[in-house]
Amino acid sequence: MVGQVEMFSRTLWSAITPAHSPVPPLHGALRADVTVVGGGLLGLSIALGLARRGASVILLEGQNIAFGASGRNTGFVVPGLKGSLSVDAVRALVGPEKGDALLTLIGQGGNYVFDLIKTLGIECSAEQRGCLQPVPMSGDMAQIEKMVKWNQAAGIESEILDERQITQVSGIKGYRGALLLPTGGQINPLAYALGLNDAIVRHGGRVYLGHARRLKRYGRTWCVEVSGGASVQSDQVIVATNALTGDLLPKVARSIIPVWAYQVATQRMDAGVRERILPGHQTFVDLRLHPFAVRWSPDGRLITGGAAKIHDPGAVDRMAKAFLRRLARFIPDLPPLQAEYAWNGRIAVTNDFMPRLWNVDTGLYAPIGCNGRGVALTSVFGRAISDYLVSRDEKDLPLPITQPKPYPLHGVVRHAPSAWLAQAQLRDWIGG
């Protein structure tokens, strides 16, 4: 994992988030009802849901809380799936009943995240100002019109802005219109994750540092062996490591496609720019194949980013320059841009951009594949999984439980995003 440790410390979020009490290392042999492996937003959300329901839960994190994509993303709270997933596509992939359940759950994700932040008293620069999903001039408004119609029937807030309105609201030109999700917004994702960690402990859950190196099953009991000789035994294990699963569950690791994402934060902008561009502090994620996304940081910087075709040791600096050029192209008249913070991280992508809940073995689950919609999706998906683990009622789940399906040539397939991204950029360029 080239540059993972270095990049975690180089993020804007690491720079502006107050120091957190260290998580204690795991020692000895412990027991719990459920072991959650992975201290990202999904694992934290599952563990919190279990702790709030009185279950005995231990969460293990091998590096730092939110070490992976959870602590490196842009902090967008988007109450929706990837823009390419229409209502019809979701219902076709998992069936009408589960499709509607998933769309409803994620549509409630914005309010859930911000209500949870308020309830738990988490200081994470939370701004529930809405999420804008603009449609390029060459795009089709029909999909968002259908989404709004579906949302209205489901009681989920959303509306359509026309070309004049999106320019007026965002200060950014060149769009036919936009889907506005009023319950969305933005947070400091690292501070949010640390707040969830604290809440787990307050509700009786246990969180430890410990690298899970092996899973062994003894009858109905699982043993998670941790580097250094410590271990946790439980009847159920949730491996919520997403793109960082590695050798712990090779079958799962070979069933997803890891994608490197890059972020860059500019220098602080003056009041004139802040009043002209996204003055209402909405998040902005357009519906291109390779989306243009931008937001304001809590300290007055523009943050943008995206995927890269080639990941190598020089990619962070190279992509920072590329994304600043893209930012200047989409928002003219900005001052000369400087990359004061630049970093990367890996996200887990599935072939259809849908999340999964995989049953790897009896009592062993792997929820995975947030596909760049991490904050809202992981929060509500984690709560639903915790409800299921207590109730054992699959009606609590917005997705069917399935089996991982490793790619036969994963070593080749894992490079597919580079080819796809090149094609997406070309199609975006042709379409304007």
Side-chain angles (χ1 to χ4, degrees):
M1 292 185 290
V2 177
Q4 283 284 351
V5 175
E6 180 188 15
M7 290 301 103
F8 182 74
S9 65
R10 282 178 57 179
T11 69
L12 171 66
W13 310 123
S14 291
I16 67 174
T17 302
H20 187 263
S21 300
V23 176
L26 180 69
H27 294 295
L30 301 182
R31 170 83 195 185
D33 295 336
V34 183
T35 304
V36 178
V37 180
L41 291 178
L42 183 54
L44 292 164
S45 297
I46 295 169
L48 176 60
L50 290 166
R52 293 176 92 183
R53 294 192 62 163
S56 170
V57 58
I58 289 177
L59 183 144
L60 297 173
E61 167 53 45
Q63 297 280 353
N64 296 290
I65 295 298
F67 176 76
S70 293
R72 305 168 192 240
N73 64 71
T74 49
F76 290 173
V77 182
V78 183
L81 296 170
K82 293 288 285 185
S84 59
L85 286 170
S86 66
V87 172
D88 291 340
V90 172
R91 299 177 95 237
L93 286 166
V94 295
E97 183 177 351
K98 287 297 187 184
D100 288 346
L102 179 62
L103 289 167
T104 300
L105 183 74
I106 187 62
Q108 297 168 345
N111 280 337
Y112 177 76
V113 168
F114 288 105
D115 288 348
L116 186 66
I117 289 168
K118 187 179 298 183
T119 298
L120 299 177
I122 299 175
E123 296 293 334
C124 61
S125 304
E127 294 183 294
Q128 192 175 19
R129 305 287 185 85
C131 176
L132 296 166
Q133 294 188 298
V135 178
M137 284 299 189
S138 61
D140 186 357
M141 295 286 289
Q143 181 173 321
I144 65 171
E145 289 168 355
K146 188 163 189 174
M147 189 76 240
V148 168
K149 185 177 180 180
W150 190 94
N151 284 343
Q152 289 174 342
I156 296 169
E157 291 184 70
S158 62
E159 60 183 277
I160 294 176
L161 305 184
D162 61 26
E163 180 180 349
R164 180 189 60 80
Q165 290 171 317
I166 183 59
T167 301
Q168 184 178 39
V169 168
S170 69
I172 303 173
K173 299 178 180 179
Y175 291 94
R176 291 186 62 186
L179 173 65
L180 170 62
L181 301 169
T183 62
Q186 57 194 31
I187 61 171
N188 172 338
L190 176 57
Y192 175 55
L194 294 172
L196 294 179
N197 172 81
D198 292 342
I200 292 167
V201 175
R202 289 200 306 270
H203 284 85
R206 291 170 283 175
V207 181
Y208 296 103
L209 280 183
H211 177 68
R213 63 183 183 88
R214 189 180 305 162
L215 298 169
K216 287 188 175 181
R217 185 178 167 194
Y218 301 94
R220 297 183 61 85
T221 299
W222 285 96
C223 179
V224 182
E225 297 181 353
V226 176
S227 297
S231 64
V232 180
Q233 291 191 352
S234 57
D235 293 334
Q236 299 181 93
V237 175
I238 312 298
V239 177
T241 45
N242 278 282
L244 301 182
T245 298
D247 296 331
L248 184 63
L249 288 177
K251 189 175 182 180
V252 169
R254 293 197 304 270
S255 299
I256 59 99
I257 303 170
V259 174
W260 286 96
Y262 292 78
Q263 312 295 340
V264 57
T266 69
Q267 75 274 25
R268 290 186 177 92
M269 296 291 169
D270 63 31
V273 177
R274 296 199 303 271
E275 291 169 1
R276 179 167 58 89
I277 304 302
L278 295 169
H281 279 215
Q282 298 92 347
T283 59
F284 187 102
V285 189
D286 76 16
L287 296 179
R288 284 179 168 80
L289 294 173
H290 183 212
F292 169 65
V294 65
R295 63 161 286 188
W296 285 109
S297 73
D299 60 347
R301 307 170 190 274
L302 287 170
I303 306 176
T304 189
K309 293 189 289 292
I310 300 174
H311 172 71
D312 56 40
V316 172
D317 292 337
R318 184 175 68 249
M319 295 312 301
K321 293 175 183 176
F323 286 126
L324 289 187
R325 288 194 298 269
R326 192 185 196 204
L327 179 61
R329 187 169 72 251
F330 278 83
I331 309 177
D333 302 325
L334 289 174
L337 298 175
Q338 303 169 28
E340 295 200 350
Y341 294 90
W343 64 95
N344 65 13
R346 287 198 293 182
I347 61 176
V349 172
T350 54
N351 61 355
D352 55 13
F353 300 115
M354 288 280 284
R356 298 284 194 277
L357 176 57
W358 284 326
N359 183 198
V360 184
D361 201 340
T362 302
L364 176 60
Y365 298 92
I368 210 155
C370 297
N371 297 285
R373 285 290 185 265
V375 175
L377 178 57
T378 53
S379 298
V380 290
F381 192 25
R383 181 196 64 186
I385 292 170
S386 68
D387 289 343
Y388 166 72
L389 293 173
V390 173
S391 72
R392 310 306 298 176
D393 187 348
E394 290 193 32
K395 291 182 179 179
D396 286 330
L397 293 171
L399 289 168
I401 300 174
T402 56
Q403 300 284 323
K405 295 181 179 180
Y407 292 99
L409 298 173
H410 188 260
V412 176
V413 172
R414 63 185 294 134
H415 297 294
S418 296
W420 179 89
L421 181 59
Q423 181 188 51
Q425 290 174 329
L426 176 62
R427 290 171 62 185
D428 285 338
W429 178 76
I430 292 172

